[in-house]
Amino acid sequence: MIKAILIFNNHGKPRLSKFYEHYTEDTEQQIIRETFHLVSKRDENVCNFLEGGLLIGGSDNKLIYRHYATLYFVFCVDSSESELGILDLIQVFVETLDKCFENVCELDLIFHMDKVHNILAEMVMGGMVLETNMSEIITQAEAQSKMEKSEAGIAGAPARAVSAVKNMNLPEMPKNINIGDISIKVPNLPSFK
Amino acid sequence: MALKIVKGSIDRMFDKNLQDLVRGIRNHKEDEAKYISTCIDEIKQELKQDNIAVKANAVCKLTYLQMLGYDVSWAAFNIVEVMSSSKFTYKRIGYLAASQCFHEGTDVIMLTTNQIRKDLSSPNQYDTGVALTGLSCFVTPDLARDLANDIMTLMSHTKPYIRKKAVLIMYKVFLKYPESLRPAFPRLKEKLEDPDPGVQSAAVNVICELARRNPKNYLSLAPLFFKLMTSSTNNWVLIKIIKLFGALTPLEPRLGKKLIEPLTNLIHSTSAMSLLYECVNTVIAVLISLSSGMPNHSASIQLCVQKLRILIEDSDQNLKYLGLLAMSKILKTHPKSVQSHKDLILQCLDDKDESIRLRALDLLYGMVSKKNLMEIVKKLMLHVDKAEGTTYRDELLTKIIDICSQSNYQYITNFEWYISILVELTRLEGTRHGHLIASQMLDVAIRVKAIRAFAVAQMATLLDNAHLLTGNTQRNGICEVLYAAAWICGEFAEHLEDPMLTLEAMLRPKVATLPGHIQAVYVQNAAKLFATVLQKHEGETDSQAAQETSQLLIDRLPLFVQSANLEVQERASCILQLVKYIQKLQQKNVEVAEEVTALFAGELNPVAPKAQKKVPIPEGLDLDAWINEPPSESESEDEKPKAVFAKEEPKHSRSRHTEVDEKELARRREARKQEQANNPFYIKASPSSQKVYDAPGVEHIPVVQIDLSVPLKVPGMPMSDQYVKLEEERRQKEKADKKKKEKKKKREKRGKGRKGDSGPESEEDITPAHHVDIVTEEMPENALPSDDDDKDPNDPHKALDIDLDKPLADSEKLPVRTHRPEVLKSPAEDRDDNTIPQETKKKSSKDKKEKKKDKEKDRKRSKEDKKKKKKHKDVEEELPESLPEEVVQSEETKEVAVPPTSADVVTVSSSAAAATVDSSSAAAAESEPEELKDTEPDDTKSSKHKKKKQKKEKEEKEKKKKKRHHHHHHHHSDAGAEDSVQNGTVEDEEPLPPMSNYSLLAENSYIKMMKEDADQVCDIQGNHQDESKVVVSVIFENKSDSFLKSMEFNVLDSLNSKLQRPDGAGPHDGLTVPFQLPPGVSNEARFVFSVQSIVMPQKLKGTLTFIVKTDESSTHEKLDFKLHFTCTSYLITTPCYSDAYAKLLESGDLKGSSLRLEGVNMPFHHLLARICFHHHFSVVERIDSCASMYSRSIQGHHVCLLVKSSDQTVSIDAKCDEPSLLGNVLDEIKQTFSKC
């Protein structure tokens, strides 16, 4: 079982948090902080497993994480998950995001948390891995956004226009700003598939 | 109005959306909280509007704020509103918000049940998907109960996208509503073989989660998983399965044997590291479970260790980590194989990665031997010095102690060295583990008598230098060791060189800054030291020293008397008074030493931690009983103090038994000594044993020569190192001596130079430097076998420890919505549900399969009970067989052999013979296994083989017949025939010919209907109405190449029997069959009929209409059929005890009738099985070829049969309180037998 999936940046700002067990908002924040604390002090070239996510679960749990440019992707899992499998799943997740957002960067995650959630929902459900095939995940995610678009139809057009205008006014949106760029191309795991 | 809409939409344009909110927060870095609170106000306004789009937008923003840690539960109701929007976009926003912030305590959740149900059955798969995803996060016990049935239906959805989600969410449902596990399990199992890999993977996932917690219940699935493992190519699935096997093998070692080969193959062939790693892991689990036996294990172990070495040497830190992790598992059972890689592991201790270092530490624990302990610990001590960060250092510290103390100090050859190590560890700054070191010191000092003198000396030094330890009181975890030091010095004061000095050290004013519990020990032990000093000076003429000591105490103790700590205060004032009194006596020159010493006489023995718990309750002692009746008299008070003592000496709590116990105890002590003497691992202490080894006694160990001040005062030179050197020398010298002196055992020389001594040395076994007595911890006599700690009572998985092989009981049915017509009151699930069996009623085929297995097991179990065979044996029989068997089953075609007929012919074949009784025999079998066991011969095995053969033959035949449906063989829908075999054989010596309760109802070129009728839903006892209900299960099978949809099932009601229709439907409306049929697929629906009179058989005419949809066109088709309700279909198998049965017959209410069957050419037990199976009877009693049987109708009529058989003639005498019912039943029985 996956207990929680967290994405935060190098400063510990949460970009996505998905807990598969209920915690109060305060506890959640504390878990995020603590996890960030544990993960961020590790060097780049150490292993990606950490024992004792103290707050979530207990000794059975592990933190498995990957660090991409400005973002940490952390999965808290119990012993029924394969460590390398989860690492690979993180890779699949990030690559999927990369495809869905076309060169994903931190800003995409910041502004489209809902979309990230929706993609994640196609991969992991209730703490269990639902789908690992990237093309299947993308197909389903895209089918749903298509539906969304068709529902919005003409009525949505003005809103989209306004939103585009708003975006234009703000210089931070372009992706070439360094802070938010994620370089996804990370040496792959020994092939899993 | 229109204007309002336009206006709303324009307003909306300028509402803040999620992006605006995020942007705003980013632009208000300095006053973020304030900005957000204004945003929340805006959101509250937005939520008040009617426009759902505005609401959805607001909820979306709330989801974001929730992530930032804002409580948004106040908007729960709005979230529900958004969830129930008809637009997918909004619905998804709603469900996302709900999944992020709903939980069991959210009260509005109960409003969502119907909404979720609606979404689950939405025609749009994404609506369903979103609902499932959301539900998986916030499912509550109520939701689980209410929706379990709907989700189960979705498990057979046509879209794999929905199926996989439905399968996965079932795990959550099981957790919240454990009762659903058994009804849902058959279908879940079926999904293991789903054609879609995603669904299959989901099913594997769920079963693995379930099995991980309660593996024993899933052992029966091993063959299926085995098949999957050898056939699947999906690494995810493989990993899960292999992990699952890792959990199963400890329970079934033979499974392990089977696994080794395929796993080894995988290890060799796979390129995926993750899979390789899991394979190695499971092979290790297998090897652990086998531990003994098979000689060729070493090859597997070698393979594993070799692969792991490759992982550890890899530059990828992750692989290194995992390699070490797996290595530590091997270590437990095969330490030798790991020890050869010590170099590699020590190397890992230097790794920059802390996780890896910790793993390596774990490994070291298992790698120590007498030979290398000192060396390894030395390395670790170096690391302790170097270590940065207290966590890692603390970890090192505990590891060192673990390593040294493991298995009762097995590897320690020199306890002086160990004590020195402990003393060195006290110099660690800021460790949390002071108490750990302290308890080690105490343990060693108490249990190793030989070391006491040395330990006391060291402790005295520690006490003297206490200021070094307590320098900083803030981080005084380490001062715990002073507790140990004080106690050791006090308790073993006779070894102290200068007790006076120590006493002085213990009474320094600085002590008052220590924690209370340590001060208390100081005070108490100061008194012990005082006693020692007195005794020492008693003999001397000069009483000056003794009096000085008294004065010292009298001067210093008042400091403690003032302590705020009660314990300290009490002890101090007590001792102060005592000393004052002694001082008076001293002044009168009275000798007091002996009496004072007597205060502290006696030795304290170590008691095992669980000793108290393990004291067995003596026979005849009821702890809950009153010793005296409780009347309010004050006498009972007197009893209480005794209870206090009972704790300390549980055996002697009652004084009158004391004498007996004393003797008994002495006897036991003797026995224990005997046992210890025979135990090679027990290092003997008795004087006799010392003589045997010709070693210096405890008291001869010279303590003097060690310079005690060294360890603490020269920090640069850790003194434990000396021991390492000494030890080296000692060993070398020993070797040399051995060479010189050959086997001479005299070691007097030795005694001088070193305190050590040893017998002949072998490479493996290095002799200890001391002969030490490691006193075993005391346990009460007859200690109970270890009771492992119970599982966490709050573990939700505990509730899922459910035997899945048992047949389902009626009470287990899942709640079904009553307004769903087809399943009205059906105990089982929805439509195709073979999976939801009902208790003592009919079962659908899938369930039967389960049941069959169960029965086989039962049978074996009973047999085994009888023969007192070992349990393993029976599994042994089962496993190899069940592997192929499983295959056969899964390939079993789904139909009873029914000749395919030409188009549009309606065959009604539901004659009496086809009546349904399968479960009755099962129930019968269960209700009286005791009786039947005896008749059961051993050859179940052979019968099984026959059965298998039959099955295979049948299967082949069917394959020929129906090539078209090849691909759906696994679709189990009707394995009736096979099941009936099982039902029959439960009590039989020989296999029965197949029986089926499904009969062909009607068939045409498009569709085929098979019916299994009369599941009586109402147990009359609970439900005395004037009408009773009968459930008919109909299997619809699509025989064509086109898609069948919009099926409607309709029956022309008669006066007596009516199809139950939903409220509001007219009496002639048809019922929609709740599924569509793709080509070649079959599915099952259930229909409920209410019947008024059950004394006569009934026939109902009906029609099925449906649309055949091909690529080009769709046509309406219909199929007529006749439903035949036999009288036996109104009977419910009801077990009956023979005494009740006798009473019933005596009552005289029953009217008799009889039947003779000629030329019945079958064994008697077959005959009985047939009656049980087809006519829902149960056997009450059987004597030779005579049996009494019982059944009851749904309206409560009793039906009793007495069946006798002699030479092909069977006579049945029957009694029933309803003659016409009886007549019809007998006719039907007759018909059954005339057919064969």
Side-chain angles (χ1 to χ4, degrees):
Chain A
M1 286 279 281
I2 298 171
K3 305 291 170 121
I5 295 173
L6 307 173
I7 304 178
F8 42 73
N9 72 0
N10 287 346
H11 307 289
K13 287 248 182 230
R15 295 305 177 211
L16 175 124
S17 67
K18 182 87 213 168
F19 290 87
Y20 294 103
E21 278 164 13
H22 175 69
Y23 296 98
T24 62
E25 275 75 15
D26 287 344
T27 324
E28 287 185 2
Q29 293 304 307
Q30 202 184 338
I31 291 172
I32 294 173
R33 271 199 304 275
E34 210 159 289
T35 311
F36 169 70
H37 186 71
L38 282 174
V39 165
S40 62
K41 68 178 182 198
R42 292 175 65 85
D43 290 336
E44 272 308 298
N45 47 4
V46 299
C47 74
N48 298 112
F49 314 120
L50 258 177
E51 274 157 276
L54 296 172
L55 272 171
I56 311 179
S59 57
D60 196 31
N61 289 353
K62 273 201 182 80
L63 294 177
I64 298 176
Y65 73 96
R66 270 176 182 267
H67 188 196
Y68 295 94
T70 58
L71 291 177
Y72 285 98
F73 289 71
V74 185
F75 280 45
C76 179
V77 303
D78 69 15
S79 63
S80 71
E81 300 294 339
S82 148
E83 290 89 346
L84 295 174
I86 293 292
L87 272 183
D88 201 70
L89 188 70
I90 301 180
Q91 182 77 13
V92 171
F93 183 32
V94 175
E95 282 180 33
T96 311
L97 291 176
D98 196 42
K99 292 238 167 73
C100 291
F101 286 105
E102 290 158 24
N103 258 328
V104 69
C105 68
E106 190 185 340
L107 285 171
D108 293 315
L109 270 61
I110 296 174
F111 286 102
H112 302 282
M113 183 201 69
D114 49 343
K115 210 172 161 191
V116 182
H117 266 298
N118 295 334
I119 293 166
L120 184 61
E122 296 304 322
M123 293 180 66
V124 179
M125 194 178 115
M128 282 177 291
V129 178
L130 179 68
E131 184 60 70
T132 52
N133 181 343
M134 204 189 318
S135 59
E136 170 73 13
I137 298 166
I138 294 174
T139 316
Q140 301 297 355
E142 279 174 355
Q144 290 177 58
S145 13
K146 215 186 230 169
M147 246 179 84
E148 201 172 25
K149 271 182 197 138
S150 74
E151 276 184 357
I154 301 165
R160 281 201 296 275
V162 169
S163 158
V165 170
K166 283 177 188 164
N167 287 347
M168 259 187 329
N169 295 337
L170 287 160
E172 64 175 325
M173 209 46 193
K175 288 183 177 168
N176 56 8
I177 286 181
N178 282 335
I179 56 139
D181 271 347
I182 303 176
S183 78
I184 284 306
K185 304 306 166 208
V186 168
N188 276 335
L189 274 183
S191 89
F192 184 74
K193 289 277 134 55
Chain B
M1 182 66 193
L3 189 69
K4 200 177 163 195
I5 291 171
V6 171
K7 187 172 168 288
S9 126
I10 290 174
D11 278 350
R12 231 186 325 144
M13 273 195 260
F14 298 101
D15 278 345
K16 239 182 242 158
N17 62 15
L18 174 62
Q19 281 74 32
D20 299 325
L21 174 76
V22 175
R23 199 173 293 124
I25 293 175
R26 287 165 67 83
N27 289 337
H28 289 79
K29 286 218 165 84
E30 51 309 319
D31 55 347
E32 193 181 293
K34 196 176 148 212
Y35 178 75
I36 290 179
S37 78
T38 60
C39 287
I40 288 179
D41 289 341
E42 277 171 30
I43 289 170
K44 282 184 177 160
Q45 288 308 314
E46 286 167 16
L47 287 176
K48 281 182 191 148
Q49 293 189 34
D50 286 336
N51 191 327
I52 192 73
V54 177
K55 273 187 186 161
N57 183 40
V59 165
C60 186
K61 288 189 280 185
L62 282 179
T63 312
Y64 183 81
L65 294 178
Q66 195 272 342
M67 180 183 77
L68 297 183
Y70 291 85
D71 178 18
V72 298
S73 53
W74 49 269
F77 185 75
N78 303 105
I79 291 172
V80 174
E81 283 180 305
V82 175
M83 275 163 72
S84 49
S85 157
S86 58
K87 273 197 181 177
F88 171 74
T89 316
Y90 305 143
K91 192 185 286 299
R92 185 161 72 165
I93 291 172
Y95 272 105
L96 174 61
S99 75
Q100 292 293 87
C101 65
F102 281 12
H103 55 91
E104 277 187 25
T106 309
D107 44 6
V108 292
I109 273 195
M110 60 191 188
L111 303 178
T112 60
T113 315
N114 281 319
Q115 178 58 40
I116 295 172
R117 181 174 284 143
K118 207 174 117 198
D119 291 336
L120 289 182
S121 54
S122 158
N124 181 344
Q125 62 166 331
Y126 292 114
D127 283 351
T128 314
V130 152
L132 284 173
T133 306
L135 188 61
S136 73
C137 291
F138 58 77
V139 60
T140 61
D142 285 345
L143 281 179
R145 191 193 55 235
D146 295 342
L147 296 173
N149 193 43
D150 302 73
I151 298 171
M152 271 207 24
T153 315
L154 292 178
M155 282 167 77
S156 312
H157 199 273
T158 48
K159 297 233 170 62
Y161 179 76
I162 299 301
R163 283 210 301 276
K164 70 182 178 192
K165 288 196 168 197
V167 168
L168 220 47
I169 202 179
M170 279 318 282
Y171 178 64
K172 294 278 175 169
V173 173
F174 296 151
L175 281 183
K176 298 290 179 188
Y177 179 55
E179 290 85 342
S180 61
L181 177 58
R182 280 171 36 78
F185 191 72
R187 193 175 301 184
L188 182 61
K189 200 171 128 189
E190 176 194 322
K191 293 297 153 205
L192 285 175
E193 297 182 287
D194 196 279
D196 183 84
V199 181
Q200 197 186 34
S201 159
V204 169
N205 215 334
V206 170
I207 292 186
C208 287
E209 280 298 335
L210 291 169
R212 200 163 70 92
R213 313 294 181 142
N214 301 298
K216 65 176 190 310
N217 300 337
Y218 299 86
L219 266 180
S220 59
L221 290 184
L224 186 56
F225 277 114
F226 193 84
K227 199 179 118 205
L228 278 179
M229 183 180 77
T230 43
S231 61
S232 176
T233 52
N234 179 341
N235 280 348
W236 269 100
V237 170
L238 279 175
I239 286 178
K240 282 282 174 191
I241 292 175
I242 287 167
K243 267 183 167 288
L244 173 68
F245 276 133
L248 292 183
T249 44
L251 303 173
E252 180 45 273
R254 280 170 339 87
L255 175 65
K257 281 186 197 162
K258 269 196 158 323
L259 283 173
I260 289 222
E261 201 201 322
L263 287 179
T264 315
N265 292 343
L266 269 177
I267 290 177
H268 283 302
S269 64
T270 185
S271 60
M273 275 300 180
S274 45
L275 185 57
L276 173 96
Y277 173 69
E278 295 305 340
C279 286
V280 169
N281 250 334
T282 298
V283 169
I284 294 168
V286 168
L287 293 176
I288 289 171
S289 73
L290 292 176
S291 68
S292 60
M294 294 177 36
N296 53 348
H297 282 168
S298 55
S300 310
I301 293 174
Q302 279 317 313
L303 178 67
C304 290
V305 174
Q306 183 195 329
K307 288 281 174 188
L308 290 179
R309 188 171 175 116
I310 295 173
L311 290 188
I312 296 173
E313 283 172 336
D314 199 288
S315 59
D316 184 343
Q317 297 283 324
N318 292 327
L319 297 183
K320 189 174 279 204
Y321 173 89
L322 293 175
L324 290 169
L325 193 65
M327 203 68 121
S328 63
K329 288 180 194 154
I330 300 188
L331 189 67
K332 280 173 204 141
T333 47
H334 303 87
K336 290 235 174 80
S337 334
V338 183
Q339 267 160 9
S340 54
H341 300 283
K342 198 179 87 189
D343 54 319
L344 190 64
I345 287 151
L346 283 175
Q347 214 174 302
C348 290
L349 270 188
D350 296 323
D351 202 284
K352 58 191 176 312
D353 187 344
E354 186 175 304
S355 309
I356 286 177
R357 288 198 306 258
L358 288 176
R359 289 266 72 94
L361 268 182
D362 272 352
L363 270 173
L364 278 181
Y365 174 81
M367 292 178 58
V368 291
S369 63
K370 286 185 177 174
K371 224 168 160 186
N372 62 16
L373 175 72
M374 284 189 170
E375 180 198 340
I376 288 181
V377 171
K378 188 181 161 193
K379 275 226 163 91
L380 293 180
M381 291 298 282
L382 282 178
H383 278 97
V384 172
D385 289 341
K386 280 192 290 182
E388 296 156 14
T390 47
T391 340
Y392 179 57
R393 205 165 47 181
D394 281 353
E395 187 64 29
L396 274 169
L397 189 153
T398 43
K399 264 304 163 276
I400 290 174
I401 289 179
D402 281 354
I403 287 175
C404 293
S405 63
Q406 66 176 308
S407 11
N408 212 6
Y409 307 104
Q410 187 188 350
Y411 300 116
I412 294 186
T413 51
N414 186 336
F415 276 93
E416 286 183 18
W417 164 81
Y418 185 44
I419 294 273
S420 320
I421 289 284
L422 290 175
V423 171
E424 272 171 47
L425 287 175
T426 62
R427 276 178 289 156
L428 272 188
E429 285 199 6
T431 180
R432 291 182 291 116
H433 292 300
H435 61 277
L436 192 61
I437 303 175
S439 67
Q440 279 293 299
M441 286 173 169
L442 286 172
D443 199 44
V444 172
I446 294 170
R447 295 175 58 195
V448 186
K449 285 188 180 147
I451 202 66
R452 282 180 192 166
F454 180 76
V456 165
Q458 291 283 299
M459 295 305 121
T461 323
L462 259 187
L463 286 177
D464 202 27
N465 294 294
H467 58 279
L468 293 178
L469 298 179
T470 53
N472 185 348
T473 38
Q474 287 322 102
R475 41 174 182 76
N476 56 3
I478 202 65
C479 66
E480 287 290 327
V481 298
L482 294 175
Y483 176 100
W487 190 87
I488 290 171
C489 286
E491 184 67 22
F492 307 118
E494 70 270 16
H495 298 292
L496 267 181
E497 211 183 327
D498 188 355
M500 191 58 196
L501 191 70
T502 312
L503 182 59
E504 199 274 331
M506 279 166 67
L507 294 171
R508 285 179 196 153
K510 194 119 205 257
V511 174
T513 58
L514 292 174
H517 65 283
I518 298 178
Q519 287 185 54
V521 170
Y522 265 64
V523 172
Q524 183 72 12
N525 286 286
K528 290 184 196 166
L529 281 176
F530 175 61
T532 318
V533 174
L534 281 188
Q535 200 174 25
K536 215 171 169 183
H537 295 292
E538 191 82 340
E540 301 165 20
T541 47
D542 174 27
S543 60
Q544 192 60 28
Q547 286 190 13
E548 271 173 24
T549 319
S550 311
Q551 193 53 46
L552 177 73
L553 279 166
I554 290 169
D555 291 345
R556 298 279 176 87
L557 278 175
L559 175 68
F560 299 102
V561 175
Q562 290 160 14
S563 170
N565 187 302
L566 276 184
E567 180 79 11
V568 180
Q569 197 187 83
E570 192 182 358
R571 286 180 192 233
S573 58
C574 192
I575 287 165
L576 183 61
Q577 291 313 312
L578 181 71
V579 176
K580 280 181 179 163
Y581 180 67
I582 289 168
Q583 199 184 27
K584 267 186 212 161
L585 292 177
Q586 278 175 332
Q587 281 157 0
K588 290 179 197 160
N589 276 329
V590 181
E591 298 216 333
V592 286
E594 202 173 315
E595 280 155 46
V596 177
T597 319
L599 284 176
F600 306 108
E603 188 145 327
L604 291 174
N605 284 333
V607 175
K610 282 185 179 169
Q612 174 75 42
K613 213 162 96 188
K614 303 223 167 166
V615 179
I617 297 173
E619 218 174 304
L621 172 64
D622 179 4
L623 289 176
D624 295 329
W626 290 104
I627 295 173
N628 292 320
E629 282 307 309
S632 55
E633 283 171 44
S634 58
E635 261 181 287
S636 58
E637 295 289 309
D638 299 339
E639 219 60 42
K640 278 179 185 165
K642 277 185 189 167
V644 174
F645 290 111
K647 263 188 189 167
E648 288 158 23
E649 271 188 310
K651 289 253 107 179
H652 315 295
S653 55
R654 299 201 180 175
S655 52
R656 39 197 151 131
H657 295 312
T658 309
E659 277 194 4
V660 186
D661 282 354
E662 213 64 77
K663 277 179 204 160
E664 174 70 3
L665 202 64
R667 193 183 59 74
R668 283 173 186 161
R669 214 177 273 137
E670 203 46 51
R672 195 169 53 211
K673 271 186 193 152
Q674 201 64 41
E675 197 190 320
Q676 285 166 354
N678 296 331
N679 183 352
F681 298 109
Y682 189 84
I683 305 176
K684 285 102 182 161
S686 58
S688 60
S689 67
Q690 281 172 359
K691 263 177 226 155
V692 170
Y693 286 90
D694 195 15
V698 178
E699 59 276 17
H700 300 130
I701 296 178
V703 186
V704 215
Q705 55 192 165
I706 288 175
D707 182 0
L708 294 172
S709 56
V710 170
L712 286 167
K713 295 196 173 151
V714 188
M717 170 67 186
M719 90 174 189
S720 60
D721 282 1
Q722 296 172 337
Y723 287 95
V724 181
K725 279 180 213 144
L726 281 176
E727 184 72 12
E728 287 291 300
E729 283 170 28
R730 185 180 71 88
R731 283 183 197 168
Q732 267 172 13
K733 195 164 181 186
E734 262 171 22
K735 263 184 209 163
D737 282 357
K738 213 167 91 186
K739 271 180 199 164
K740 263 191 244 163
K741 297 193 173 185
E742 290 298 332
K743 283 176 185 174
K744 273 199 176 179
K745 281 186 183 176
K746 285 194 179 176
R747 291 277 188 264
E748 288 124 3
K749 256 197 215 164
R750 267 304 157 70
K752 272 188 224 160
R754 229 158 277 109
K755 310 156 238 74
D757 185 17
S758 65
E761 180 190 63
S762 71
E763 283 302 312
E764 269 306 302
D765 198 49
I766 292 163
T767 50
H770 303 264
H771 280 289
V772 285
D773 169 20
I774 302 182
V775 184
T776 44
E777 293 165 327
E778 285 200 339
M779 282 292 257
E781 307 296 335
N782 313 327
L784 301 167
S786 76
D787 41 337
D788 288 322
D789 300 320
D790 284 333
K791 281 184 194 166
D792 175 11
N794 298 326
D795 185 0
H797 297 92
K798 233 179 144 184
L800 288 181
D801 188 0
I802 295 168
D803 183 358
L804 295 164
D805 294 333
K806 264 197 325 214
L808 279 173
D810 219 6
S811 53
E812 287 182 277
K813 61 198 179 187
L814 290 180
V816 178
R817 273 183 301 158
T818 41
H819 66 262
R820 185 187 277 204
E822 318 78 31
V823 289
L824 204 75
K825 290 225 174 174
S826 151
E829 239 33 57
D830 43 76
R831 45 186 196 160
D832 86 327
D833 155 52
N834 285 346
T835 60
I836 320 216
Q838 315 106 301
E839 207 134 358
T840 22
K841 317 238 166 124
K842 195 160 283 182
K843 294 175 159 202
S844 31
S845 53
K846 174 83 184 193
D847 179 46
K848 283 181 232 153
K849 244 189 243 170
E850 280 276 280
K851 185 162 176 183
K852 169 190 108 187
K853 253 193 218 159
D854 179 50
K855 267 187 253 159
E856 258 165 40
K857 247 191 231 157
D858 270 0
R859 200 167 22 160
K860 276 184 188 153
R861 223 175 277 143
S862 56
K863 194 168 83 182
E864 151 205 313
D865 281 6
K866 216 169 50 188
K867 301 193 176 175
K868 298 194 175 160
K869 274 185 188 167
K870 267 195 148 186
K871 188 182 175 192
H872 287 300
K873 193 135 187 198
D874 101 299
V875 198
E876 195 153 356
E877 278 166 27
E878 188 173 68
L879 198 86
E881 277 167 36
S882 50
L883 282 176
E885 201 174 14
E886 194 64 34
V887 179
V888 174
Q889 278 181 7
S890 62
E891 282 170 18
E892 195 85 39
T893 44
K894 47 190 153 176
E895 284 180 43
V896 185
V898 174
T901 44
S902 56
D904 298 315
V905 179
V906 178
T907 338
V908 178
S909 63
S910 62
S911 61
T916 61
V917 188
D918 59 351
S919 57
S920 59
S921 56
E926 270 152 41
S927 60
E928 57 230 327
E930 289 303 319
E931 299 164 29
L932 293 168
K933 236 190 306 181
D934 299 333
T935 63
E936 185 184 63
D938 270 0
D939 57 358
T940 38
K941 221 176 162 183
S942 66
S943 77
K944 226 198 257 170
H945 284 308
K946 279 184 206 164
K947 244 184 285 161
K948 241 186 279 163
K949 248 182 246 164
Q950 282 182 349
K951 265 189 238 161
K952 272 184 196 150
E953 279 163 25
K954 202 176 103 209
E955 182 197 327
E956 273 161 31
K957 256 188 252 164
E958 283 176 10
K959 267 189 189 159
K960 276 180 218 155
K961 267 189 224 157
K962 346 177 24 224
K963 281 169 201 152
R964 251 209 229 147
H965 303 166
H966 242 49
H967 297 296
H968 301 279
H969 284 179
H970 63 271
H971 209 291
H972 62 79
S973 11
D974 180 359
E978 175 200 346
D979 297 311
S980 55
V981 174
Q982 298 312 325
N983 286 323
T985 47
V986 177
E987 36 202 295
D988 292 340
E989 291 96 313
E990 285 166 49
L992 278 175
M995 294 188 268
S996 165
N997 41 25
Y998 278 89
S999 56
L1000 185 67
L1001 190 57
E1003 182 180 46
N1004 65 13
S1005 56
Y1006 297 112
I1007 193 161
K1008 178 171 182 176
M1009 293 166 72
M1010 307 281 300
K1011 84 143 193 175
E1012 177 199 46
D1013 66 356
D1015 279 346
Q1016 300 83 353
V1017 184
C1018 308
D1019 194 340
I1020 300 310
Q1021 295 232 315
N1023 204 352
H1024 250 305
Q1025 296 165 348
D1026 50 357
E1027 56 175 19
S1028 305
K1029 295 190 178 71
V1030 172
V1031 176
V1032 177
S1033 314
V1034 181
I1035 296 177
F1036 298 89
E1037 186 193 1
N1038 186 351
K1039 296 174 63 189
S1040 67
D1041 294 326
S1042 350
F1043 201 85
L1044 301 187
K1045 56 183 230 179
S1046 306
M1047 289 186 279
E1048 268 200 4
F1049 179 92
N1050 201 0
V1051 171
L1052 209 56
D1053 289 349
S1054 71
L1055 274 178
N1056 193 29
S1057 317
K1058 291 188 173 65
L1059 176 61
Q1060 293 220 337
R1061 299 179 166 85
D1063 294 341
H1068 304 295
D1069 295 348
L1071 287 181
T1072 314
V1073 179
F1075 48 77
Q1076 306 180 335
L1077 285 179
V1081 167
S1082 65
N1083 210 338
E1084 182 175 325
R1086 298 180 165 235
F1087 302 96
V1088 182
F1089 290 84
S1090 54
V1091 185
Q1092 277 180 355
S1093 160
I1094 59 160
V1095 298
M1096 298 290 285
Q1098 316 259 338
K1099 274 186 189 168
L1100 293 180
K1101 278 187 188 173
T1103 316
L1104 179 79
T1105 57
F1106 52 94
I1107 295 174
V1108 182
K1109 196 166 184 248
T1110 56
D1111 290 340
E1112 312 88 48
S1113 63
S1114 57
T1115 47
H1116 256 281
E1117 294 287 342
K1118 74 171 207 171
L1119 175 63
D1120 294 325
F1121 57 85
K1122 270 186 195 166
L1123 277 174
H1124 188 132
F1125 292 134
T1126 57
C1127 277
T1128 41
S1129 57
Y1130 302 130
L1131 295 184
I1132 313 169
T1133 309
T1134 318
C1136 181
Y1137 293 106
S1138 47
D1139 46 349
Y1141 187 78
K1143 259 186 206 154
L1144 189 64
L1145 288 179
E1146 283 163 11
S1147 69
D1149 299 340
L1150 308 183
K1151 311 208 168 42
S1153 174
S1154 65
L1155 172 71
R1156 268 179 88 81
L1157 302 168
E1158 300 287 345
V1160 177
N1161 198 2
M1162 61 170 77
F1164 188 59
H1165 60 271
H1166 284 194
L1167 180 101
L1168 294 185
R1170 250 172 208 281
I1171 298 175
C1172 285
F1173 182 80
H1174 289 304
H1175 299 286
H1176 308 204
F1177 277 89
S1178 63
V1179 177
V1180 179
E1181 207 167 1
R1182 175 183 163 185
I1183 300 157
D1184 300 328
S1185 57
C1186 180
S1188 49
M1189 304 177 89
Y1190 176 79
S1191 184
R1192 206 176 58 185
S1193 80
I1194 52 174
Q1195 292 180 349
H1197 307 292
H1198 302 284
V1199 188
C1200 306
L1201 300 184
L1202 183 64
V1203 186
K1204 287 180 200 159
S1205 162
S1206 59
D1207 294 341
Q1208 309 212 343
T1209 309
V1210 176
S1211 67
I1212 301 177
D1213 292 316
K1215 283 193 168 180
C1216 176
D1217 40 13
E1218 176 55 62
S1220 51
L1221 174 66
L1222 183 61
N1224 285 316
V1225 169
L1226 286 181
D1227 283 350
E1228 284 159 16
I1229 293 178
K1230 194 172 176 181
Q1231 222 169 335
T1232 309
F1233 286 97
S1234 66
K1235 275 186 169 181
C1236 50

